[in-house]
Amino acid sequence: MTPPFARRRARAAAPDPVPAVVSLGLGVPRLTAGLRPRRAQERLDHGAHLTAHGPLPDPGELGLRDLLALTERIALRERGPAGFPFHHKLRAVMASARRGGLTAAVVVDAVEDDPSCRKDEVLLRRAPHLVLDGALLTAEALGAQQVVIAVSHPAAAAAIKAAVAERQPRRRARGPEIRMARSQERFIDGVGDASAGGLEAVPTLLSNTETWAQLAVAARMGAARFGALGERDEPGTFLATVTAHTPGGKGPAQTVVEAPLGTPLATLLERCGTDAGQAVLLGGHDGAFLPRRAADTALMSRRGIEAAGAVFGAGSVTRVPEETCPLGEVARAAHWLAAERVSHCVPCFRGLSALATALDDVVHDGGAPVRERLREQVAAVQGRRACAHPDGSARFVLSALSTFSDDLAAHALGSGCGRRVWGALPLPRGPQAARTAERFTMDWTLCDGHALCADVVPELIRMEQDGYPVLSATAVPPRLAARARLAVRRCPTLALRVERI
């Protein structure tokens, strides 16, 4: 019989279920063609892929100039957070390769570092040949000798490996080499470490998974048919990851939806069986919240979401249910953002931890000084130009403070909102999920204010003007567990302890 602790560990380490796939197109599905909604684990093999999408144009029929003209005509943008025009990147790589007399390389960025976005994982696991089509078509037009697929998810890597093996007998002998580079999922690392090996000083055309799949669809359809859906300046479809948490359920349920650009956000949510709740987080954990009233009228395109006051990002949509404490959700996510910091970036290393602790103090302690300290911490990390991570985190927190202003007042000036934190904002799962939460407690009859604890773990303990420490009311994050135990051991009067929550 398996021991209980082993079963808990296995549940914590188990991968998240594959999101369901839904098409919301006005015509036949494009990226999701051939994917059966009730077969979440099913992968289209090469034969099924050709049945669903048809053959790809021969490289001789779609040369480099034709490819450049096509991507410019359909205004293809990166389907990642930046939304950069693809034809600008293609033109820049062409020019760089010619100037240096070098051979270019193509990289598929399949590293999804935000748990609120699962679309690239779904594409790789279920339709890997569509992604390979776009990358190989471009590589052959550029004369590239390498196609590197940077991937972090084990199941996605296995699907790509199987797809490459299926193509091997049919590929031209002198075609580009396809290889995989495994990368660790981290919010700020992205694809850098995975793609760097062997590509130093090589002109590299890098785009995320959906972008290559969209290119494969456009190459088959042509510009006119591709632009029949979507908006005039943003034609085509897009993939959105919709996350909706049901309190009391097993966790956030995620659905990947294909829809024309310009689709009302309310329609997208309705198709997934939900609504806007208290608010909707758009663009992931460095994005922004839209209150329900704004979400009901927003259109899902870069221009439409920016006009509504949020960030389109990579197309992630996360519902904040009425039953959860929104500021508690934001504080929980802020600790994860702080754990993803860059060690040599001061706003990351010190500022984000202090910001997360200040959020905890607002949620659990309240008081006008605590609210003011939170705004000071946001200002301390915002606009420092050290790296983009603190700016995105500050935007996320500021948007929450504005959207949930009534809750902020209830926590800072009253007794709180009275709701528990359900975990509506998705965070990475891992072995730490099985650990029992702990927090600091103090025997004030023993504390003499030596301040050794605040020196060891300043993210959770700070000294006040009266010379005594103030303890964060939040649980000790796993990344600070070792230092928390060290702080307890360093206390000369044995006043500091950690207790289970």
Side-chain angles (χ1 to χ4, degrees):
M1 182 176 178
T2 306
F5 74 86
R7 292 198 297 270
R8 288 195 300 269
R9 184 179 302 165
R11 284 196 300 269
D16 292 335
V18 184
V21 176
V22 174
S23 175
L24 196 61
L26 300 177
V28 295
R30 294 183 176 183
L31 301 177
T32 57
L35 302 184
R36 294 184 285 185
R38 297 183 184 276
R39 301 291 183 90
Q41 301 290 341
E42 184 179 61
R43 176 183 69 85
L44 294 182
D45 62 21
H46 199 228
H49 163 70
L50 292 176
T51 300
H53 294 281
L56 196 66
D58 187 83
E61 300 176 17
L62 195 65
L64 188 54
R65 291 185 181 277
D66 300 319
L67 191 63
L68 186 61
L70 172 66
T71 56
E72 189 168 3
R73 188 176 173 190
I74 65 173
L76 180 63
R77 286 181 172 269
E78 288 277 340
R79 291 306 202 261
F84 199 75
F86 184 85
H87 67 275
H88 287 342
K89 297 180 72 170
L90 179 57
R91 198 185 299 275
V93 171
M94 290 167 50
S96 177
R98 287 172 181 170
R99 278 196 309 269
L102 300 169
T103 301
V106 166
V107 175
V108 178
D109 177 4
V111 181
E112 283 181 311
D113 40 31
D114 191 322
S116 68
C117 191
R118 304 278 302 279
K119 59 172 186 171
D120 287 355
E121 175 199 337
V122 166
L123 272 177
L124 285 181
R125 293 178 69 167
R126 303 201 59 190
H129 286 286
L130 196 62
V131 180
L132 289 174
D133 279 349
L136 286 170
L137 182 71
T138 306
E140 295 193 1
L142 274 172
Q145 295 180 354
Q146 294 185 75
V147 172
V148 179
I149 303 170
V151 62
S152 57
H153 199 286
I160 282 290
K161 186 176 180 180
V164 171
E166 290 169 356
R167 286 171 173 253
Q168 212 64 43
R170 302 179 180 86
R171 293 192 63 228
R172 296 187 301 117
R174 296 185 179 180
E177 175 197 3
I178 303 174
R179 63 184 179 88
M180 278 194 299
R182 295 297 301 273
S183 176
Q184 181 182 3
E185 282 185 358
R186 287 203 65 219
F187 189 66
I188 54 177
D189 281 355
V191 74
D193 292 340
S195 62
L199 295 182
E200 294 86 353
V202 175
T204 302
L205 181 59
L206 182 150
S207 284
N208 81 318
T209 305
E210 187 193 342
T211 309
W212 296 114
Q214 292 282 3
L215 183 57
V217 169
R220 287 177 166 92
M221 299 184 75
R225 285 181 59 204
F226 186 88
L229 292 180
E231 298 188 327
R232 176 173 295 182
D233 58 344
E234 293 184 63
T237 65
F238 73 103
L239 291 180
T241 307
V242 178
T243 304
H245 185 278
T246 302
K250 295 182 179 180
Q254 293 184 302
T255 306
V256 172
V257 187
E258 182 180 15
L261 283 156
T263 297
L265 174 56
T267 302
L268 202 71
L269 292 167
E270 183 181 358
R271 185 67 178 83
C272 295
T274 188
D275 57 21
Q278 293 186 67
V280 172
L281 173 63
L282 293 165
H285 291 85
D286 56 358
F289 292 89
L290 273 186
R292 180 171 189 137
R293 181 173 295 181
D296 286 342
T297 58
L299 300 179
M300 285 300 292
S301 65
R302 292 191 181 275
R303 183 179 61 177
I305 293 303
E306 288 172 5
V311 179
F312 188 85
S316 66
V317 179
T318 304
R319 176 183 185 265
V320 181
E322 291 88 345
E323 296 85 355
T324 196
C325 169
L327 293 181
E329 296 281 357
V330 173
R332 175 174 167 268
H335 278 288
W336 171 65
L337 291 170
E340 297 292 296
R341 65 187 185 266
V342 178
S343 59
H344 59 266
C345 170
V346 174
C348 272
F349 190 72
R350 290 292 186 187
L352 292 183
S353 293
L355 176 58
T357 301
L359 269 168
D360 282 326
D361 291 343
V362 167
V363 172
H364 296 287
D365 296 337
V370 171
R371 183 170 61 172
E372 185 58 33
R373 185 161 53 247
L374 172 60
R375 296 192 182 278
E376 290 173 358
Q377 293 297 341
V378 172
V381 302
Q382 191 177 28
R384 295 285 295 274
R385 298 183 180 180
C387 75
H389 184 44
D391 286 340
S393 301
R395 176 173 58 231
F396 168 72
V397 172
L398 280 174
S399 171
L401 299 183
S402 173
T403 303
F404 307 113
S405 56
D406 290 345
D407 294 271
L408 177 62
H411 280 283
L413 304 177
S415 57
C417 67
R419 290 169 289 185
R420 59 168 288 188
V421 177
W422 284 97
L425 302 186
L427 298 181
R429 295 178 63 184
Q432 69 269 21
R435 298 176 184 170
T436 303
E438 296 178 328
R439 66 183 172 196
F440 281 120
T441 183
M442 180 77 74
D443 184 342
W444 295 107
T445 64
L446 298 177
C447 179
D448 284 340
H450 290 92
L452 297 180
C453 55
D455 291 337
V456 174
V457 60
E459 296 90 343
L460 297 175
I461 303 175
R462 67 175 187 277
M463 300 302 294
E464 283 285 33
Q465 293 181 350
D466 61 4
Y468 283 90
V470 175
L471 309 180
S472 173
T474 186
V476 176
R479 64 187 172 83
L480 297 178
R483 280 200 280 149
R485 290 191 292 270
L486 178 60
V488 171
R489 292 196 300 269
R490 288 275 181 91
C491 180
T493 62
L494 306 180
L496 185 65
R497 300 188 299 275
V498 289
E499 65 177 14
R500 291 185 177 183
I501 299 176

